[in-house]
Amino acid sequence: MHLHEAVQISDDDSDERITAKLRTHGVRIGRGMISPRVFWPALIIILTLVGYAVAAPDSAEQTFSSVQGWIVENLGWYYMLVVAAFIGVAAFIGFSRLGRIRLGLDDDTPEFGLLSWFSMLFAAGMGIGLVFYGVGEPLTYATVDPKPGWEGDQSEIAGLAMAQTFVHWGIHPWAIYAIIGLSIAYAIHRRGRPVSIRWALEPLFGERVKGWTGDIIDVLAILGTVFGVATSLGLGVQQISAGMVEIGIVDRADNTLLVILIIAVTLIAMLSVVSGIGAGMKWLSNINLSLAGALLISMLLLGPTLFLLQNFTESLGFYLANFMGMTFDVGAFQRGEADSWFSNWTIFYWGWWISWSPFVGIFIARISRGRTIREFIAGVMLVPTLVGMVWFSVLGGSGLFRQLFGAGDLVEDGAVNIDSVLFKILGDLPFGTIFSVVGIILVAIFFITSSDSGSLVVDMLASGGHPNPPTWSRVLWAVITGLVAIALLLAGGLQSLQAAALATALPFSVILLLMAVAILKALRIDDKVLERAERNQRLERLTEHMTSQWSESLADNAEMESYVNDRIDYRLSRTRGVFAGRAAGKPGERGATKPQHKK
């Protein structure tokens, strides 16, 4: 199952050596160290869409809304089934004998300790979205925008609201990431292929992934990643601006402020790329995780602690009781009433996760060498899910407690302002202004790291899977991602961000389905090879054991040893060669030759 070590890319290889190895994989590298058949089509498509959104924002907004409405109305059921299928495939692989296969050589050990690995998975799942929706999402479901079809009193609706939030941020999205991450990890660690989406489909398409089929796959992955990261950036600047208004830095948040924020963060991300401070970005990420953990613990201890713990426990029960129903609920019996809700929430989320999946998938694949597939699936699907549940139970629970049992001022004019509601909660804590500043810093750093890391992943795809792509193109993709976020905000704000995520996710969802089939096929073949090798090893061990036991039994029994040796000597003495004459035996014995007498 492994390619020869001579063509596998090593961390110690120079850029020239890596480029030469990429060509042995069939990768076409042009001038500037890019893959021209991937780089240029992706760049042209993205710039065309950006130009359209900037030149005709009203028309672009109408187009995006129409695309989103058509997808939700006609393909909502498809998105729900696809995500459910990913959960089923991931669970099957994890529980089956296929889960014992290692992502790497059979004797490889994990590159990172379990605690470090969990921390990095937490970093991948802990992004702008969790901060943006942490308070507002469950509060919205429980008050002004419950899911069509929900019935019951306020407490039951609140429980369902928390459960629905868990669905959006729990096992469902991480099953998507598990499929693509496992497929890529198998290709790069087990097979020794470059870091590129196309190689995940090699078990299905074979050598064709080296041609236009693979080029289309990587182009779609670039489009999905750019629009997925741009969606996160758009949400991030909206929340940063709302926080700045809440603590009095600015009077109001308009498009001018949003554009300035995007430009500022993109410039910071570019500086990190140009200066090559990879260690600095890692240091920044660690600080951000520490800030997120400190914020979570502070809200738990300084807020209604007992209620928040009760909320987590009860919400977990609602989630487990309604898991299957919420997984397959498409609002079939609510008709038009449900379309708007699913468009704004569940279907948008599934599109966002799918479009974001190449970025997260490549990240978790890179850090998982040496893990068994069972460890990989359990870690990827369970750890971030548990972290997300705790996060929403604390932040969302704080909002619910204030609205239902406290001041009740989080719903204004029949709506919840998701951008600013977090800062209202933080502002009421002791040292509220400090916590609000921490919240802004948290979102800003997530913004910077997402832009920088997203541009790196896109650049790797556009460079044929080169792990050290050229700096100039990485800067270019960081700028383009910022331009996409600006264009989408100007062409309709959140609505356009949601539509872009849905539209780019549609074709890539087909690729993800093919990945699920491809990884199953590859693992079954690998399992047969592994089973045959294990069977041969067992046979060798049994043979060695029987030989040693027989030798020991001879040594312990002198009579048996004498008998065996005599029998062997006798048989050897009676053996005739092919060209030997008749053996002389003792007179009188059967077969003995009579002595010849001279005449």
Side-chain angles (χ1 to χ4, degrees), residues 340-376:
S340 175
W341 193 93
F342 279 96
S343 175
N344 292 330
W345 297 109
T346 304
I347 303 302
F348 158 64
Y349 276 131
W350 292 173
W352 191 13
W353 304 147
I354 291 173
S355 64
W356 184 256
S357 63
F359 168 49
V360 180
I362 288 177
F363 173 77
I364 62 178
R366 290 288 299 271
I367 65 172
S368 299
R369 184 184 186 93
R371 298 270 168 208
T372 65
I373 290 176
R374 187 169 291 112
E375 288 176 325
F376 177 89

Side-chain angles (χ1 to χ4, degrees), residues 60-83:
E61 180 181 2
Q62 184 177 0
T63 301
F64 291 147
S65 298
S66 300
V67 170
Q68 184 179 11
W70 184 87
I71 291 175
V72 172
E73 183 178 352
N74 295 283
L75 295 176
W77 60 271
Y78 166 76
Y79 277 92
M80 302 298 279
L81 285 179
V82 163
V83 173

Side-chain angles (χ1 to χ4, degrees), residues 148-450:
W150 283 358
E151 296 178 354
D153 56 19
Q154 183 64 71
S155 62
E156 187 170 357
I157 296 296
L160 291 171
M162 290 300 305
Q164 187 68 54
T165 305
F166 288 175
V167 168
H168 291 160
W169 295 87
I171 287 179
H172 292 71
W174 283 98
I176 300 172
Y177 300 150
I179 292 298
I180 187 171
L182 175 60
S183 301
I184 297 171
Y186 183 86
I188 64 177
H189 297 317
R190 187 78 173 169
R191 288 277 292 153
R193 289 298 190 182
V195 184
S196 189
I197 301 294
R198 68 176 68 199
W199 298 111
L201 294 173
E202 185 183 14
L204 280 185
F205 296 120
E207 292 292 314
R208 283 176 291 177
V209 297
K210 299 179 180 179
W212 64 266
T213 302
D215 297 334
I216 291 175
I217 292 169
D218 283 343
V219 168
L220 290 175
I222 289 176
L223 295 179
T225 301
V226 168
F227 283 100
V229 173
T231 301
S232 296
L233 300 188
L235 297 178
V237 293
Q238 287 182 341
Q239 191 162 46
I240 291 174
S241 62
M244 294 171 68
V245 172
E246 196 68 27
I247 63 177
I249 297 177
V250 296
D251 295 330
R252 63 189 182 91
D254 53 13
N255 283 340
T256 301
L257 177 61
L258 298 180
V259 171
I260 291 173
L261 288 174
I262 291 177
I263 292 173
V265 172
T266 302
L267 286 175
I268 295 174
M270 287 171 52
L271 288 175
S272 73
V273 171
V274 174
S275 61
I277 52 172
M281 292 304 296
K282 182 179 179 181
W283 178 69
L284 204 60
S285 298
N286 290 335
I287 290 179
N288 212 31
L289 291 177
S290 300
L291 285 176
L295 184 66
L296 181 69
I297 294 172
S298 299
M299 292 184 69
L300 176 61
L301 297 179
L302 298 177
T305 306
L306 178 59
F307 172 80
L308 296 180
L309 295 174
Q310 291 172 336
N311 178 51
F312 171 73
T313 305
E314 191 165 325
S315 299
L316 185 60
F318 271 93
Y319 173 71
L320 296 175
N322 295 276
F323 179 86
M324 296 302 292
M326 289 182 172
T327 297
F328 295 99
D329 185 6
V330 294
F333 298 101
Q334 284 77 38
R335 307 309 297 161
E337 178 188 3
D339 288 347
S340 175
W341 193 93
F342 279 96
S343 175
N344 292 330
W345 297 109
T346 304
I347 303 302
F348 158 64
Y349 276 131
W350 292 173
W352 191 13
W353 304 147
I354 291 173
S355 64
W356 184 256
S357 63
F359 168 49
V360 180
I362 288 177
F363 173 77
I364 62 178
R366 290 288 299 271
I367 65 172
S368 299
R369 184 184 186 93
R371 298 270 168 208
T372 65
I373 290 176
R374 187 169 291 112
E375 288 176 325
F376 177 89
I377 290 178
V380 168
M381 292 182 66
L382 298 182
V383 173
T385 294
L386 181 60
V387 170
M389 287 178 174
V390 173
W391 178 269
F392 278 102
S393 294
V394 174
L395 272 71
S398 298
L400 289 173
F401 184 85
R402 175 165 173 166
Q403 181 63 33
L404 301 180
F405 308 110
D409 58 348
L410 299 181
V411 177
E412 299 176 354
D413 300 325
V416 175
N417 189 340
I418 294 180
D419 298 348
S420 62
V421 70
L422 169 65
F423 299 102
K424 290 184 178 180
I425 296 292
L426 295 177
D428 272 359
L429 296 176
F431 311 104
T433 302
I434 295 177
F435 282 118
S436 295
V437 172
V438 169
I440 294 175
I441 294 174
L442 193 64
V443 177
I445 298 178
F446 275 131
F447 195 163
I448 295 168
T449 53
S450 294

